């Protein structure tokens, strides 16, 4: 049904690629993160809720078609449908049904609740291709409300010390999830770096309830940011832009913050462990729920997860990824 090619996973029957790395004629996209949705393809097909995010990334001239979750489309002899993956707005598992049986490509997914996207929907398959960004037993997530309470405590502490709180997070998914989760504990306005604003706007247009957000740059030079919470992309860290924020504490919100060595190496004042990916237990029960008799593993810690599955008697193998950059949205 799907084969590995230099451009990515290819379905020969329907002549389309799933999350191709290079420009192709027809790209089927699981979600809008940069390591899955690459520019330059002639036509894109994705879940309806992903269309606006892709359009923001690729521009108005791009040919992008959206399918509602659960609707099917016949391409060649392959029936294709999208099902919620619970990762970010519009994220989808891709289900393919044809002569090769039923295949499900998970894309990135999580099982934790998230007010900014449709919850993961278990889909059964003969062959399940799962992500494994956090495919090691050390990765186990805390409850989201506890992480948000921690984050709020850090912000309040910085406010009391007249310091700015700078929270680094990914621009698609994590920023909006934090802004949505925070509505449960505060109604304060949050400031955001200019790079954050377009994607926050797309989420708001999609009806996602989030804290009010103001551009961090609109303040006159020399104005105080003391007590404010500022969301910024990691790429802004250490740039001159940071100087205007004055005396500040910085933090990163990511599943990567689970590992003490990473926290220390990256030298953030604080790390909040909140991930948009499945942790180790969630990967395992999702794989079990798929009912698949063959599991292919890709992205992140693919080898350890594939090895573990093989030891458990599940037919399993690794699919390599050509993506060389940092994963996004972890
Ligand atoms: Zn990814
Ligand atoms: Zn992703």
């Amino acid at each position: 049904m799907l084969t590995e090619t230099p451009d990515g996973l290819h379905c020969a029957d329907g002549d389309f690629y799933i999350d191709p790395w290079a420009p192709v004629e027809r790209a089927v996209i699981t979600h809008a993160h940069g390591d899955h949705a690459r520019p330059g393809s002639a036509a894109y097909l994705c879940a309806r809720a992903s269309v606006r995010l892709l359009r923001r990334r690729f521009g108005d001239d791009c040919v992008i078609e959206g399918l509602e979750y659960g609707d099917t489309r016949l391409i060649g002899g392959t029936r294709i449908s999208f099902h919620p993956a619970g990762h970010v707005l519009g994220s989808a598992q891709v289900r393919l049904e044809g002569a090769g049986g039923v295949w499900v490509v998970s894309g990135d997914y999580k099982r934790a609740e998230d007010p900014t996207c449709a919850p993961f929907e278990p889909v059964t398959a003969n062959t399940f291709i799962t992500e494994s960004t956090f495919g090691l037993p050390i990765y186990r997530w805390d409850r989201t409300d506890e992480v948000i309470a921690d984050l709020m405590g850090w912000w309040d502490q910085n406010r009391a010390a007249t310091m700015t709180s700078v929270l680094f997070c990914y621009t698609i998914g994590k920023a909006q999830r934090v802004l949505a989760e925070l509505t449960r504990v505060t109604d304060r306005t949050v400031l955001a770096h200019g790079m954050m604003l377009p994607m926050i706007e797309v989420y708001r247009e999609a009806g996602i309830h989030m804290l009010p957000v103001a551009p961090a740059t609109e303040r006159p030079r020399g104005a105080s940011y003391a007590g404010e919470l500022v969301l910024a992309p990691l790429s802004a860290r250490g740039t001159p832009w940071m100087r205007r924020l004055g005396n500040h504490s910085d933090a990163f919100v990511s599943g990567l913050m689970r590992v003490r060595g990473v926290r220390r190496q990256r030298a953030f004042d604080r790390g909040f462990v909140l991930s948009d990916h499945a942790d180790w237990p969630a990967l395992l029960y999702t794989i079990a729920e798929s009912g698949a008799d063959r599991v292919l593993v890709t992205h992140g810690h693919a080898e350890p997860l594939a090895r573990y599955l093989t030891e458990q008697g599940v037919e399993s193998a690794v699919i390599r990824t050509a993506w060389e950059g940092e994963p996004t949205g972890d």
Side-chain angles (χ1 to χ4, degrees), residues 31 33 35-36 87 108 131 133 277 299 327-328:
H31 65 290
H33 278 149
D35 51 341
H36 295 260
H87 173 59
D108 292 341
E131 66 126 325
T133 302
H277 292 268
H299 282 79
T328 50

